[in-house]
Amino acid sequence: MSDYRNIIHQGLWQNNPGLVQLLGLCPLLATSSTMTNALGLGFATMLVLVSTNLVVSLIRSQVPNEIRIPIFVMVIAAVVTAIEQLMQAYTYQLYQSLGIFIPLIVTNCIVIGRAEAFASKNPLLPSIVDGLMMGLGFTLVLFLLGTCRELLGQGTLFDGAEALFGPWATVLRVEVFKTESHFLLAILPPGAFMVLGFLIAAKNAVDARQKSRQVQTAGITRARVTHVASNETSAG
Amino acid sequence: MSFRIASSPHHHSQQHTSVLMQKVILACLPGIACQVYFFGYGVLLQLVLAIITAWASEALVLRLRQKPVLPRLKDHSAMLTAVLLAVSIPAFAPWWIIVLGTAFAIIIVKQLYGGLGHNLFNPAMAAYVFLLVSFPQQMTSWLPPLTLQAQQQQVLDPVCAVFTDFSCAGYSLTQLKTDIDGMTMATPLDTLKTDLSTGKTISESLQQPVFDSIGGLGWNYVNLAFLIGGLWLLQQKVIQWRIPLAVLGSLGLCSLIGYLIDPDLHASPLFHLLSGGTMLAAFFIATDPVSASTTLRGRLYYGALIGLLIYLIRSFGGFPDAVAFAVMLANLAVPLIDYYSRPRTYGHKPKGSY
């Protein structure tokens, strides 16, 4: 069980694809201009990750080591094609606004990275969990980035959510503040780089704070041990 | 009697950072005065807002970084950044433009890279690009010189415009930009670009009221004033001649080539040298010791690159003036320039000769 907990921790925090591995930056920065686009691409990537990890883990003993990479790429390409067709069928608006970035999931380094580094060496269930958690970690970062950029850029939340969730989702749209001059930088790619930089800095700051707290607690336990020891000696 | 034994160099330059910065700010004064004379005192308002914001954001970040605040504020570098940004944005731009821009310059471009001496880009120009990209409409709302404005500027108009977006009588900026004949007026460089795109020749475009015999009305005096300030800086040895000369020389040469090829489509060298922010860029912005090249030969390359880029973007790019983009691109090239222009170490043979 602790094994799965480790996988979850790795995917969501310790080894987060968006904040630590910095893989898949191209879609991360290009499609995170609104929350809806970010969520759409995040879900698609997550689905691809789970499916490819599943397939790769199943065939891992049959694949000759020398040609494993081309085979993984073919698996990924097949899965991405299927998902692209699905998105075209069910979320056509989102499919149009994400454009080239759906087929480009094939080239997303996280997908091939997890297939090579994890799924090709681990049994089925851990591989699926790993794909799910890596995908979720990526989606969360995308979602956060999309939230910041949409809020800064146009002052709204969930603008155009109906493209992803269907017509009922228009109620999700929140206009936080109204502005005549949009803050264009947040919507343009340089803004994405800056916001991502701040997110990474925030994550590092949280890690550093945790580390300093751990050191402190370690100091306290040592003090208690010596105290107990001195008690014993006095009793003895 | 005791002798103090110190190693070389024995001759020190007595100019500290704060003195240098003070001198650069002083040298800006003629240019600022000229802007006030031609465009109203809005620029002074922008200056005050910018300096207050710069001090506040510098103090805030230094506090967060747990560094001493006062010694850093006293070196006047934040104030210089604020001054350079304030003179480059339109005098009637709304107050939040300059506040956002200055905070961006100090917090993100300067302090996040490690503070004074560590910034990759010139903070004022990076902030200018940031503002121009984010708020193109406000950043291009330059008013024509006072003499051409249809509405007589009232005493409180700059205050009203900066804080409410409207003049005290309730005219919007677009209305204020309109001349007596109901034509909207832009800056000289902008007018020239628009006219060329509609098929007019340079000499036809120069008939417009925003031009006088040499270049943009008012703008050429502003540029001359910055030139005077820059020459004083040279005389005071605050800056060296290489970068300004390279910028002006390269811009002049490029525009001369264009002018000789077709004077109907390319403005004269004198027009280029006295338009927009040329002099400000050559003497005050490109010479920033932190983000410019550090080798002697490199400074020539760096300045020439800025001049070339200014000419290329002005003539063929999408924006009317190009100083900020040119300086930022050249800043990016500085590590490369420095690497290839390292001076020969004394006693070593030049590279490649055996």
Side-chain angles (χ1 to χ4, degrees):
Chain A
M1 195 57 220
S2 69
D3 207 26
Y4 286 109
R5 185 171 288 175
N6 185 36
I7 293 176
I8 294 172
H9 185 61
Q10 289 282 336
L12 293 188
W13 186 259
Q14 185 98 46
N15 213 0
N16 185 301
L19 292 181
V20 180
Q21 304 183 56
L22 296 181
L23 290 178
L25 277 188
C26 166
L28 187 77
L29 298 172
T31 61
S32 60
S33 55
T34 66
M35 285 166 102
T36 313
N37 284 357
L39 267 186
L41 192 89
F43 284 147
T45 311
M46 187 156 74
L47 209 58
V48 171
L49 264 166
V50 173
S51 328
T52 52
N53 267 13
L54 187 153
V55 177
V56 168
S57 174
L58 279 179
I59 60 170
R60 69 182 192 281
S61 48
Q62 273 83 40
V63 175
N65 202 31
E66 293 79 14
I67 55 162
R68 64 189 195 286
I69 300 287
I71 292 180
F72 294 164
V73 171
M74 271 162 63
V75 169
I76 296 166
V79 170
V80 170
T81 311
I83 283 172
E84 190 195 354
Q85 300 290 321
L86 278 175
M87 288 183 80
Q88 194 172 3
Y90 294 104
T91 57
Y92 186 63
Q93 258 185 312
L94 189 69
Y95 168 81
Q96 277 191 318
S97 74
L98 286 178
I100 186 70
F101 289 100
I102 305 171
L104 275 182
I105 296 176
V106 178
T107 62
N108 192 329
C109 313
I110 305 167
V111 183
I112 186 82
R114 290 331 284 177
E116 163 72 8
F118 198 91
S120 65
K121 295 173 187 133
N122 285 289
L124 185 62
L125 205 55
S127 298
I128 294 178
V129 176
D130 179 72
L132 186 69
M133 286 307 143
M134 283 289 163
L136 198 62
F138 185 66
T139 311
L140 284 178
V141 174
L142 255 175
F143 182 67
L144 253 177
L145 204 56
T147 313
C148 297
R149 289 178 68 191
E150 187 176 337
L151 196 63
L152 287 175
Q154 356 175 344
T156 59
L157 292 176
F158 281 115
D159 186 34
E162 63 274 11
L164 180 62
F165 299 117
W168 66 270
T170 42
V171 297
L172 283 178
R173 188 178 186 279
V174 183
E175 184 145 13
V176 182
F177 59 88
K178 198 170 172 61
T179 168
E180 271 176 31
S181 40
H182 288 321
F183 184 43
L184 288 177
L185 189 82
I187 305 173
L188 295 170
F193 274 107
M194 284 179 201
V195 177
L196 183 68
F198 279 114
L199 286 181
I200 295 173
K203 191 216 173 248
N204 288 347
V206 171
D207 278 348
R209 178 168 291 181
Q210 251 173 5
K211 210 172 183 180
S212 70
R213 199 173 287 164
Q214 268 171 359
V215 171
Q216 273 177 7
T217 46
I220 290 164
T221 32
R222 197 169 63 220
R224 194 179 61 80
V225 168
T226 44
H227 183 65
V228 170
S230 68
N231 266 355
E232 275 172 357
T233 44
S234 66
Chain B
M1 187 177 167
S2 68
F3 289 101
R4 201 169 63 87
I5 300 173
S7 68
S8 62
H10 303 289
H11 183 75
H12 298 276
S13 163
Q14 297 299 321
Q15 300 200 343
H16 293 284
T17 311
S18 62
V19 179
L20 289 179
M21 297 284 173
Q22 261 172 358
K23 282 187 177 166
V24 179
I25 294 171
L26 274 181
C28 284
L29 288 181
I32 295 171
C34 218
Q35 278 200 357
V36 171
Y37 177 75
F38 282 107
F39 300 99
Y41 69 90
V43 61
L44 294 181
L45 271 181
Q46 306 283 1
L47 267 175
V48 172
L49 283 172
I51 292 173
I52 293 173
T53 317
W55 276 340
S57 24
E58 181 105 328
L60 175 80
V61 181
L62 288 172
R63 232 353 177 358
L64 284 177
R65 294 178 65 199
Q66 294 164 349
K67 304 237 162 156
V69 174
L70 265 185
R72 287 285 108 197
L73 280 188
K74 275 188 194 154
D75 71 17
H76 299 306
S77 63
M79 190 159 133
L80 179 61
T81 300
V83 169
L84 290 180
L85 184 63
V87 295
S88 0
I89 75 164
F92 276 41
W95 62 272
W96 47 266
I97 288 269
I98 187 75
V99 169
L100 263 182
T102 318
F104 179 85
I106 299 292
I107 295 175
I108 293 186
V109 188
K110 186 173 158 201
Q111 291 291 352
L112 281 191
Y113 281 92
L116 180 66
H118 298 278
N119 43 304
L120 216 58
F121 298 106
N122 184 314
M125 286 304 103
Y128 182 87
V129 169
F130 157 80
L131 290 174
L132 185 62
V133 168
S134 303
F135 311 105
Q137 197 212 331
Q138 286 85 351
M139 282 299 284
T140 46
S141 301
W142 286 94
L143 288 189
L146 290 177
T147 46
L148 292 180
Q149 288 175 16
Q151 271 85 30
Q152 199 67 43
Q153 210 177 72
Q154 304 300 314
V155 184
L156 279 177
D157 266 355
V159 184
C160 294
V162 167
F163 288 102
T164 64
D165 290 1
F166 293 99
S167 77
C168 294
Y171 292 110
S172 73
L173 267 184
T174 328
Q175 283 169 313
L176 288 181
K177 267 171 78 178
T178 311
D179 71 354
I180 305 159
D181 302 327
M183 302 273 283
T184 305
M185 282 191 293
T187 63
L189 280 169
D190 211 358
T191 313
L192 197 69
K193 201 175 193 77
T194 320
D195 280 351
L196 282 179
S197 68
T198 56
K200 287 188 187 168
T201 61
I202 296 274
S203 46
E204 281 168 351
S205 176
L206 287 180
Q207 303 300 320
Q208 298 243 25
V210 291
F211 296 104
D212 62 10
S213 51
I214 310 172
L217 185 63
W219 284 99
N220 37 25
Y221 291 105
V222 172
N223 269 291
L224 283 177
F226 277 120
L227 173 64
I228 292 169
L231 291 177
W232 180 71
L233 283 183
L234 275 180
Q235 191 261 326
Q236 291 287 310
K237 296 194 175 151
V238 175
I239 57 175
Q240 294 186 329
W241 58 270
R242 285 186 180 78
I243 294 178
L245 188 81
V247 173
L248 298 179
S250 142
L251 178 62
L253 188 71
C254 292
S255 47
L256 184 68
I257 294 172
Y259 187 66
L260 289 179
I261 291 175
D262 192 350
D264 280 342
L265 293 179
H266 301 279
S268 70
L270 200 58
F271 178 84
H272 272 290
L273 290 179
L274 293 180
S275 286
T278 309
M279 291 297 168
L280 183 70
F283 287 96
F284 293 86
I285 289 165
T287 52
D288 168 24
V290 178
S291 56
S293 174
T294 49
T295 61
L296 297 184
R297 245 182 334 132
R299 285 182 182 158
L300 288 175
Y301 300 149
Y302 170 78
L305 181 64
I306 292 181
L308 174 72
L309 284 170
I310 291 180
Y311 179 71
L312 286 180
I313 301 178
R314 269 186 191 171
S315 311
F316 308 105
F319 288 96
D321 202 1
V323 167
F325 291 104
V327 170
M328 275 189 85
L329 284 169
N331 283 164
L332 275 179
V334 160
L336 194 71
I337 294 175
D338 279 355
Y339 179 81
Y340 281 108
S341 62
R342 268 185 302 191
R344 182 173 64 91
T345 318
Y346 185 70
H348 287 247
K349 280 179 179 159
K351 233 184 260 173
S353 73
Y354 294 99

